[in-house]
Amino acid sequence: MRRLIGQTYLLAGLTALLAACGTTAEPSASTPHLSAQANQISTTNFTDTKMVLSETAGSFGAWASGSFGVWAVGSFGAWASGSFGAWAATFADGTPNPLHNNVNEWHQIRLAGAQTLAPNLGKDVIVAVIDTGIDLKHPAFSGTLTPNTTWRDFVGGRTDLDPSEEGTTADRAYGHGTAVAGIILQVAPNARILPIRVMGSNGEGNSTTIGNAIIHAVNQGAKVINVSAVTDKDSSISKSIEYATNNGAYVIMAAGNQGLNPVQFPAAKSAQTNIPGFLSLSVGGIELDNRKSRYSNFGDGLEVMAPATDIVTTFPNGEMRAVKGTSFATPVVSGVLALALGEGYSADNAGQLTEKLRLSQKNVDIENQDLLRLLGKKTLGFGLLDAEAFLNRIK
Protein backbone atom coordinates (compact mmCIF):
# COMPACT_ATOMS: atom_id res chain seq x y z
CA MET A 1 0.00 0.00 0.00
CA ARG A 2 1.38 3.38 -0.95
CA ARG A 3 2.11 6.02 1.66
CA LEU A 4 1.47 9.67 0.99
CA ILE A 5 4.65 11.54 1.86
CA GLY A 6 4.36 13.41 5.13
CA GLN A 7 0.70 12.53 5.57
CA THR A 8 -1.38 9.80 7.18
CA TYR A 9 -2.89 7.43 4.63
CA LEU A 10 -6.68 7.62 4.88
CA LEU A 11 -9.18 5.07 3.59
CA ALA A 12 -12.93 5.29 3.30
CA GLY A 13 -15.50 2.64 4.11
CA LEU A 14 -18.82 4.29 4.31
CA THR A 15 -21.83 2.16 4.99
CA ALA A 16 -23.33 -1.30 5.20
CA LEU A 17 -24.48 -2.99 2.02
CA LEU A 18 -28.12 -3.92 1.75
CA ALA A 19 -27.22 -7.61 1.83
CA ALA A 20 -25.76 -7.12 5.30
CA CYS A 21 -28.56 -5.10 6.82
CA GLY A 22 -31.61 -6.55 5.06
CA THR A 23 -34.15 -5.06 2.69
CA THR A 24 -36.75 -2.74 4.13
CA ALA A 25 -39.38 -0.62 2.46
CA GLU A 26 -39.88 2.97 3.48
CA PRO A 27 -43.54 3.97 4.05
CA SER A 28 -44.77 5.32 0.73
CA ALA A 29 -46.29 8.36 2.41
CA SER A 30 -42.86 9.50 3.53
CA THR A 31 -41.42 9.76 0.03
CA PRO A 32 -42.31 12.22 -2.72
CA HIS A 33 -43.96 11.17 -5.95
CA LEU A 34 -42.19 11.41 -9.28
CA SER A 35 -42.01 14.97 -10.54
CA ALA A 36 -44.92 16.43 -12.49
CA GLN A 37 -42.64 16.86 -15.50
CA ALA A 38 -42.27 13.10 -15.65
CA ASN A 39 -45.75 11.98 -14.67
CA GLN A 40 -45.92 9.76 -17.72
CA ILE A 41 -43.57 7.32 -15.97
CA SER A 42 -45.33 4.31 -14.48
CA THR A 43 -43.99 2.71 -11.30
CA THR A 44 -46.36 -0.25 -11.48
CA ASN A 45 -44.95 -3.47 -9.99
CA PHE A 46 -42.27 -1.65 -8.01
CA THR A 47 -42.16 -0.91 -4.29
CA ASP A 48 -40.05 1.71 -2.59
CA THR A 49 -36.70 0.06 -1.89
CA LYS A 50 -34.00 0.88 0.62
CA MET A 51 -30.78 2.08 -1.06
CA VAL A 52 -27.30 2.33 0.40
CA LEU A 53 -23.97 3.66 -0.80
CA SER A 54 -21.78 0.98 -2.29
CA GLU A 55 -19.07 0.94 0.41
CA THR A 56 -19.04 -1.82 3.03
CA ALA A 57 -19.00 -0.88 6.69
CA GLY A 58 -16.14 -2.39 8.67
CA SER A 59 -14.09 -3.58 5.68
CA PHE A 60 -12.09 -0.42 5.19
CA GLY A 61 -12.84 1.54 8.37
CA ALA A 62 -14.74 4.78 8.66
CA TRP A 63 -13.44 8.07 7.29
CA ALA A 64 -10.24 8.54 9.31
CA SER A 65 -9.38 11.68 11.23
CA GLY A 66 -6.90 14.20 9.91
CA SER A 67 -6.56 15.81 6.51
CA PHE A 68 -4.16 16.61 3.74
CA GLY A 69 -4.61 20.29 4.45
CA VAL A 70 -6.80 22.92 2.88
CA TRP A 71 -7.16 23.22 -0.86
CA ALA A 72 -4.39 25.43 -2.14
CA VAL A 73 -6.04 26.95 -5.20
CA GLY A 74 -9.57 27.98 -6.03
CA SER A 75 -10.11 25.86 -9.13
CA PHE A 76 -9.46 22.39 -10.48
CA GLY A 77 -8.64 24.11 -13.77
CA ALA A 78 -4.97 23.97 -12.82
CA TRP A 79 -4.96 20.21 -12.60
CA ALA A 80 -5.56 19.05 -16.15
CA SER A 81 -3.85 20.66 -19.09
CA GLY A 82 -3.39 17.63 -21.29
CA SER A 83 -0.07 17.00 -19.59
CA PHE A 84 0.82 15.40 -16.30
CA GLY A 85 3.18 18.30 -15.67
CA ALA A 86 0.19 19.87 -13.94
CA TRP A 87 0.17 17.01 -11.42
CA ALA A 88 3.52 17.88 -9.83
CA ALA A 89 4.29 17.00 -6.21
CA THR A 90 4.12 20.65 -5.13
CA PHE A 91 2.37 23.84 -6.12
CA ALA A 92 4.41 26.72 -7.53
CA ASP A 93 4.74 28.18 -4.04
CA GLY A 94 6.14 24.90 -2.68
CA THR A 95 2.91 23.79 -0.99
CA PRO A 96 2.48 19.99 -1.24
CA ASN A 97 -0.01 18.92 -3.89
CA PRO A 98 -1.80 15.78 -2.64
CA LEU A 99 -3.40 15.10 -6.02
CA HIS A 100 -0.11 14.01 -7.56
CA ASN A 101 -0.64 10.76 -5.66
CA ASN A 102 -3.27 9.80 -8.27
CA VAL A 103 -0.83 9.92 -11.18
CA ASN A 104 -0.39 6.13 -11.30
CA GLU A 105 -4.17 5.64 -11.58
CA TRP A 106 -4.45 8.28 -14.29
CA HIS A 107 -1.58 6.66 -16.22
CA GLN A 108 -3.38 3.33 -15.89
CA ILE A 109 -6.44 4.66 -17.76
CA ARG A 110 -4.32 6.86 -20.08
CA LEU A 111 -5.99 10.03 -18.89
CA ALA A 112 -3.28 12.40 -20.12
CA GLY A 113 -3.83 11.33 -23.71
CA ALA A 114 -7.59 11.61 -23.31
CA GLN A 115 -7.30 15.16 -21.95
CA THR A 116 -5.04 16.09 -24.86
CA LEU A 117 -7.70 14.81 -27.27
CA ALA A 118 -10.40 16.70 -25.33
CA PRO A 119 -8.91 20.19 -24.82
CA ASN A 120 -12.24 21.60 -23.64
CA LEU A 121 -11.86 19.32 -20.60
CA GLY A 122 -15.61 18.75 -20.34
CA LYS A 123 -16.44 22.46 -20.57
CA ASP A 124 -20.00 23.21 -19.43
CA VAL A 125 -21.08 19.54 -19.46
CA ILE A 126 -23.45 19.13 -16.51
CA VAL A 127 -22.68 16.08 -14.38
CA ALA A 128 -25.23 15.32 -11.68
CA VAL A 129 -23.86 13.90 -8.43
CA ILE A 130 -26.77 12.04 -6.83
CA ASP A 131 -25.34 11.25 -3.44
CA THR A 132 -24.99 12.58 0.14
CA GLY A 133 -24.70 16.16 -1.08
CA ILE A 134 -21.41 18.03 -1.32
CA ASP A 135 -19.47 20.67 0.59
CA LEU A 136 -20.73 23.64 -1.40
CA LYS A 137 -18.05 25.91 0.08
CA HIS A 138 -15.06 23.68 -0.69
CA PRO A 139 -12.49 25.78 -2.61
CA ALA A 140 -12.12 22.99 -5.17
CA PHE A 141 -15.70 23.60 -6.29
CA SER A 142 -15.34 27.36 -6.78
CA GLY A 143 -16.79 28.20 -10.19
CA THR A 144 -17.61 24.57 -10.99
CA LEU A 145 -21.22 24.25 -9.75
CA THR A 146 -24.45 24.77 -11.67
CA PRO A 147 -26.69 27.72 -10.59
CA ASN A 148 -28.05 27.23 -7.08
CA THR A 149 -31.61 27.28 -8.40
CA THR A 150 -30.91 23.85 -9.92
CA TRP A 151 -29.67 22.22 -6.69
CA ARG A 152 -31.90 19.92 -4.66
CA ASP A 153 -32.08 18.10 -1.32
CA PHE A 154 -34.66 15.30 -1.41
CA VAL A 155 -33.76 13.61 1.88
CA GLY A 156 -36.54 12.88 4.38
CA GLY A 157 -39.38 13.69 2.00
CA ARG A 158 -38.42 17.34 1.78
CA THR A 159 -37.40 19.28 -1.30
CA ASP A 160 -35.20 22.32 -0.82
CA LEU A 161 -32.27 24.01 -2.56
CA ASP A 162 -29.48 23.18 -0.08
CA PRO A 163 -27.76 19.87 -0.92
CA SER A 164 -24.93 20.44 1.55
CA GLU A 165 -23.25 17.51 3.25
CA GLU A 166 -24.84 17.06 6.68
CA GLY A 167 -23.52 15.30 9.76
CA THR A 168 -19.99 15.00 11.15
CA THR A 169 -16.91 12.89 10.61
CA ALA A 170 -18.38 10.41 13.10
CA ASP A 171 -21.07 9.53 10.53
CA ARG A 172 -20.07 6.68 8.24
CA ALA A 173 -21.07 8.32 4.95
CA TYR A 174 -20.17 11.93 5.72
CA GLY A 175 -18.21 13.38 2.78
CA HIS A 176 -19.08 10.65 0.28
CA GLY A 177 -20.70 12.98 -2.28
CA THR A 178 -17.94 15.56 -1.89
CA ALA A 179 -15.37 12.87 -2.68
CA VAL A 180 -17.30 11.71 -5.76
CA ALA A 181 -17.57 15.27 -7.14
CA GLY A 182 -13.86 15.88 -6.63
CA ILE A 183 -12.92 12.83 -8.69
CA ILE A 184 -15.15 13.93 -11.59
CA LEU A 185 -13.42 17.31 -11.63
CA GLN A 186 -9.94 15.81 -11.64
CA VAL A 187 -10.85 13.94 -14.82
CA ALA A 188 -12.94 16.70 -16.46
CA PRO A 189 -11.95 19.98 -14.76
CA ASN A 190 -14.27 22.21 -16.78
CA ALA A 191 -17.42 20.16 -16.23
CA ARG A 192 -20.23 21.61 -14.12
CA ILE A 193 -21.36 19.70 -11.03
CA LEU A 194 -25.10 19.54 -10.25
CA PRO A 195 -25.33 18.52 -6.57
CA ILE A 196 -28.41 16.54 -5.53
CA ARG A 197 -28.67 15.14 -2.00
CA VAL A 198 -30.58 11.85 -1.73
CA MET A 199 -28.70 9.98 1.01
CA GLY A 200 -28.27 10.81 4.67
CA SER A 201 -24.93 10.88 6.44
CA ASN A 202 -25.62 7.26 7.43
CA GLY A 203 -25.38 6.35 3.73
CA GLU A 204 -29.00 5.28 3.40
CA GLY A 205 -31.85 6.46 1.19
CA ASN A 206 -34.69 5.02 -0.87
CA SER A 207 -35.41 4.27 -4.48
CA THR A 208 -38.26 6.74 -4.89
CA THR A 209 -36.05 9.63 -3.78
CA ILE A 210 -33.20 8.60 -6.04
CA GLY A 211 -35.62 8.16 -8.94
CA ASN A 212 -36.93 11.69 -8.38
CA ALA A 213 -33.37 12.96 -8.31
CA ILE A 214 -32.53 11.34 -11.66
CA ILE A 215 -35.57 12.93 -13.27
CA HIS A 216 -34.74 16.32 -11.77
CA ALA A 217 -31.17 16.04 -13.07
CA VAL A 218 -32.40 15.37 -16.60
CA ASN A 219 -34.83 18.28 -16.43
CA GLN A 220 -31.94 20.56 -15.39
CA GLY A 221 -29.86 19.59 -18.41
CA ALA A 222 -27.54 16.96 -16.92
CA LYS A 223 -25.87 14.88 -19.63
CA VAL A 224 -24.07 12.55 -17.20
CA ILE A 225 -25.69 11.25 -14.01
CA ASN A 226 -23.48 9.59 -11.37
CA VAL A 227 -25.23 7.13 -9.02
CA SER A 228 -23.04 5.36 -6.44
CA ALA A 229 -25.92 3.72 -4.53
CA VAL A 230 -27.00 0.08 -4.66
CA THR A 231 -29.75 -2.32 -3.69
CA ASP A 232 -30.30 -6.07 -4.14
CA LYS A 233 -33.49 -5.84 -6.20
CA ASP A 234 -34.98 -3.93 -9.07
CA SER A 235 -36.91 -0.77 -8.24
CA SER A 236 -38.62 2.27 -9.70
CA ILE A 237 -35.16 3.72 -10.36
CA SER A 238 -35.18 1.64 -13.55
CA LYS A 239 -38.07 3.72 -14.88
CA SER A 240 -36.25 6.94 -14.02
CA ILE A 241 -33.15 5.68 -15.83
CA GLU A 242 -35.36 4.95 -18.83
CA TYR A 243 -36.60 8.55 -18.67
CA ALA A 244 -33.00 9.80 -18.51
CA THR A 245 -31.72 7.73 -21.40
CA ASN A 246 -34.74 8.52 -23.57
CA ASN A 247 -33.72 12.16 -23.09
CA GLY A 248 -30.10 11.51 -24.07
CA ALA A 249 -28.53 11.47 -20.60
CA TYR A 250 -25.91 8.87 -19.65
CA VAL A 251 -26.36 7.16 -16.26
CA ILE A 252 -23.21 5.73 -14.65
CA MET A 253 -23.64 3.35 -11.68
CA ALA A 254 -21.50 1.51 -9.12
CA ALA A 255 -21.35 -2.30 -9.27
CA GLY A 256 -21.27 -2.63 -5.46
CA ASN A 257 -18.70 -3.81 -2.93
CA GLN A 258 -19.76 -7.27 -1.81
CA GLY A 259 -17.01 -8.95 -3.84
CA LEU A 260 -19.70 -11.18 -5.34
CA ASN A 261 -21.27 -12.16 -8.65
CA PRO A 262 -23.47 -10.52 -9.98
CA VAL A 263 -23.41 -6.73 -9.66
CA GLN A 264 -26.18 -5.03 -7.68
CA PHE A 265 -29.09 -2.90 -8.88
CA PRO A 266 -29.58 -0.47 -10.49
CA ALA A 267 -26.23 -1.13 -12.20
CA ALA A 268 -27.27 -4.72 -12.95
CA LYS A 269 -29.60 -3.58 -15.74
CA SER A 270 -27.06 -1.46 -17.61
CA ALA A 271 -25.91 -4.45 -19.69
CA GLN A 272 -29.35 -4.91 -21.24
CA THR A 273 -29.73 -4.31 -24.96
CA ASN A 274 -32.59 -1.79 -24.74
CA ILE A 275 -32.20 2.01 -24.83
CA PRO A 276 -31.61 2.39 -21.06
CA GLY A 277 -28.92 -0.28 -21.24
CA PHE A 278 -27.38 1.36 -24.27
CA LEU A 279 -26.91 4.73 -22.52
CA SER A 280 -25.92 3.49 -19.07
CA LEU A 281 -22.85 1.80 -17.61
CA SER A 282 -22.00 -0.32 -14.58
CA VAL A 283 -18.57 0.25 -13.08
CA GLY A 284 -16.39 -2.07 -11.02
CA GLY A 285 -13.05 -1.52 -9.31
CA ILE A 286 -9.56 -2.52 -10.46
CA GLU A 287 -6.12 -2.30 -8.85
CA LEU A 288 -2.91 -0.89 -10.30
CA ASP A 289 -1.75 -4.41 -11.18
CA ASN A 290 -4.93 -4.81 -13.30
CA ARG A 291 -6.45 -7.33 -10.91
CA LYS A 292 -10.06 -6.90 -9.93
CA SER A 293 -10.40 -5.12 -6.58
CA ARG A 294 -11.24 -7.83 -4.07
CA TYR A 295 -14.28 -5.90 -2.84
CA SER A 296 -15.74 -5.15 -6.29
CA ASN A 297 -18.76 -7.08 -7.54
CA PHE A 298 -18.25 -8.74 -10.91
CA GLY A 299 -19.80 -11.13 -13.42
CA ASP A 300 -23.23 -10.62 -14.95
CA GLY A 301 -23.94 -6.96 -15.55
CA LEU A 302 -20.39 -5.65 -15.09
CA GLU A 303 -19.26 -3.57 -18.06
CA VAL A 304 -16.33 -1.29 -17.21
CA MET A 305 -13.54 -1.34 -14.63
CA ALA A 306 -11.76 1.76 -13.30
CA PRO A 307 -9.35 2.64 -10.49
CA ALA A 308 -11.13 2.49 -7.15
CA THR A 309 -8.52 2.20 -4.40
CA ASP A 310 -6.59 4.98 -2.64
CA ILE A 311 -7.91 7.79 -4.82
CA VAL A 312 -7.10 11.19 -3.26
CA THR A 313 -10.00 13.60 -3.55
CA THR A 314 -12.00 16.34 -1.87
CA PHE A 315 -13.52 16.08 1.61
CA PRO A 316 -15.67 18.57 3.56
CA ASN A 317 -14.16 21.59 5.30
CA GLY A 318 -11.59 22.16 2.58
CA GLU A 319 -9.85 18.86 3.24
CA MET A 320 -8.51 16.04 1.08
CA ARG A 321 -8.85 12.32 1.79
CA ALA A 322 -7.97 9.03 0.11
CA VAL A 323 -10.98 6.84 -0.69
CA LYS A 324 -11.68 3.27 -1.72
CA GLY A 325 -14.63 1.48 -3.34
CA THR A 326 -16.68 1.17 -6.50
CA SER A 327 -18.42 4.41 -5.53
CA PHE A 328 -15.19 6.11 -6.55
CA ALA A 329 -14.50 4.13 -9.71
CA THR A 330 -17.88 5.34 -10.98
CA PRO A 331 -17.02 9.10 -11.11
CA VAL A 332 -13.81 8.28 -13.00
CA VAL A 333 -15.99 6.96 -15.83
CA SER A 334 -18.46 9.84 -15.45
CA GLY A 335 -15.58 12.28 -15.87
CA VAL A 336 -14.29 10.56 -19.01
CA LEU A 337 -17.77 10.73 -20.57
CA ALA A 338 -17.87 14.44 -19.71
CA LEU A 339 -14.57 14.88 -21.58
CA ALA A 340 -16.17 13.34 -24.68
CA LEU A 341 -19.38 15.36 -24.39
CA GLY A 342 -17.37 18.57 -24.21
CA GLU A 343 -15.95 17.98 -27.69
CA GLY A 344 -17.35 18.07 -31.20
CA TYR A 345 -17.28 14.32 -31.72
CA SER A 346 -18.51 12.72 -34.92
CA ALA A 347 -22.28 12.88 -35.43
CA ASP A 348 -22.15 9.16 -36.18
CA ASN A 349 -21.40 8.62 -32.50
CA ALA A 350 -24.36 10.58 -31.14
CA GLY A 351 -26.06 8.51 -28.46
CA GLN A 352 -23.39 5.81 -28.74
CA LEU A 353 -20.73 7.04 -26.36
CA THR A 354 -21.19 4.29 -23.80
CA GLU A 355 -21.00 1.65 -26.54
CA LYS A 356 -17.81 3.23 -27.90
CA LEU A 357 -16.40 3.35 -24.38
CA ARG A 358 -17.13 -0.34 -23.82
CA LEU A 359 -15.33 -1.20 -27.05
CA SER A 360 -12.26 0.84 -26.05
CA GLN A 361 -11.37 -1.18 -22.96
CA LYS A 362 -8.12 -2.96 -22.22
CA ASN A 363 -8.46 -6.72 -21.74
CA VAL A 364 -7.34 -7.78 -18.25
CA ASP A 365 -8.03 -11.52 -18.51
CA ILE A 366 -4.35 -12.45 -18.14
CA GLU A 367 -4.08 -10.71 -14.78
CA ASN A 368 -7.28 -12.39 -13.54
CA GLN A 369 -6.83 -15.97 -14.73
CA ASP A 370 -7.84 -17.44 -11.37
CA LEU A 371 -11.22 -15.71 -11.52
CA LEU A 372 -11.74 -16.61 -15.15
CA ARG A 373 -10.94 -20.28 -14.59
CA LEU A 374 -13.55 -20.36 -11.88
CA LEU A 375 -16.31 -18.44 -13.65
CA GLY A 376 -15.52 -18.23 -17.35
CA LYS A 377 -15.55 -15.30 -19.77
CA LYS A 378 -17.39 -12.00 -19.30
CA THR A 379 -16.63 -12.10 -15.59
CA LEU A 380 -14.86 -8.73 -15.85
CA GLY A 381 -17.06 -7.05 -18.41
CA PHE A 382 -15.16 -5.38 -21.22
CA GLY A 383 -12.08 -4.77 -19.07
CA LEU A 384 -10.13 -1.71 -17.94
CA LEU A 385 -11.19 1.77 -19.02
CA ASP A 386 -8.85 3.18 -21.68
CA ALA A 387 -9.76 6.85 -21.83
CA GLU A 388 -7.37 7.74 -24.65
CA ALA A 389 -8.56 4.90 -26.90
CA PHE A 390 -12.15 5.98 -26.25
CA LEU A 391 -11.52 9.61 -27.23
CA ASN A 392 -9.71 8.45 -30.37
CA ARG A 393 -12.60 6.15 -31.28
CA ILE A 394 -15.21 8.93 -31.31
CA LYS A 395 -13.31 11.58 -33.28
Side-chain angles (χ1 to χ4, degrees), residues 20-43:
C21 62
T23 301
T24 61
E26 300 283 339
S28 59
S30 68
T31 53
H33 297 293
L34 295 174
S35 72
Q37 289 176 286
N39 58 14
Q40 72 274 21
I41 295 179
S42 170
T43 58

Side-chain angles (χ1 to χ4, degrees), residues 23 35 41 47 108 110 176 189 197 207 215 223 248-249 256 282-283 289 354 367 370 373 375 394:
T23 301
S35 72
I41 295 179
T47 58
Q108 184 182 20
R110 301 211 297 165
H176 189 278
R197 182 171 178 262
S207 58
I215 292 166
K223 292 303 179 186
S282 60
V283 184
D289 61 3
T354 49
E367 295 88 345
D370 53 342
R373 281 194 297 269
L375 296 167
I394 66 170

Side-chain angles (χ1 to χ4, degrees), residues 196-281:
I196 305 177
R197 182 171 178 262
V198 296
M199 314 289 277
S201 58
N202 62 357
E204 297 180 358
N206 62 71
S207 58
T208 301
T209 297
I210 294 175
N212 281 337
I214 291 171
I215 292 166
H216 173 76
V218 175
N219 292 340
Q220 299 303 316
K223 292 303 179 186
V224 181
I225 299 172
N226 192 100
V227 180
S228 291
V230 296
T231 181
D232 277 347
K233 66 180 183 180
D234 200 2
S235 71
S236 56
I237 290 177
S238 293
K239 302 303 292 184
S240 297
I241 292 171
E242 181 178 342
Y243 176 80
T245 57
N246 282 337
N247 283 277
Y250 294 90
V251 185
I252 316 303
M253 298 166 283
N257 287 352
Q258 297 167 307
L260 298 175
N261 176 10
V263 306
Q264 291 181 283
F265 290 97
K269 298 186 74 172
S270 68
Q272 293 182 339
T273 56
N274 55 13
I275 292 289
F278 201 59
L279 272 76
S280 60
L281 281 173

Side-chain angles (χ1 to χ4, degrees), residues 142-157:
S142 175
T144 69
L145 304 180
T146 58
N148 59 11
T149 54
T150 66
W151 306 345
R152 289 294 184 276
D153 179 356
F154 288 110
V155 174

Side-chain angles (χ1 to χ4, degrees), residues 365-385:
D365 287 355
I366 292 175
E367 295 88 345
N368 293 275
Q369 282 296 318
D370 53 342
L371 197 59
L372 292 172
R373 281 194 297 269
L374 181 65
L375 296 167
K377 297 293 183 181
K378 291 299 179 184
T379 296
L380 302 175
F382 289 84
L384 169 67
L385 170 66

Side-chain angles (χ1 to χ4, degrees), residues 118-184:
N120 291 327
L121 300 174
K123 182 175 175 57
D124 294 331
V125 176
I126 297 176
V127 182
V129 175
I130 295 177
D131 213 287
T132 62
I134 70 170
D135 176 5
L136 299 169
K137 297 180 181 179
H138 199 296
F141 301 145
S142 175
T144 69
L145 304 180
T146 58
N148 59 11
T149 54
T150 66
W151 306 345
R152 289 294 184 276
D153 179 356
F154 288 110
V155 174
R158 71 190 187 210
T159 303
D160 61 47
L161 303 181
D162 184 9
S164 298
E165 293 270 13
E166 295 186 7
T168 70
T169 53
D171 298 313
R172 59 189 179 187
Y174 178 69
H176 189 278
T178 299
V180 166
I183 292 169
I184 292 167

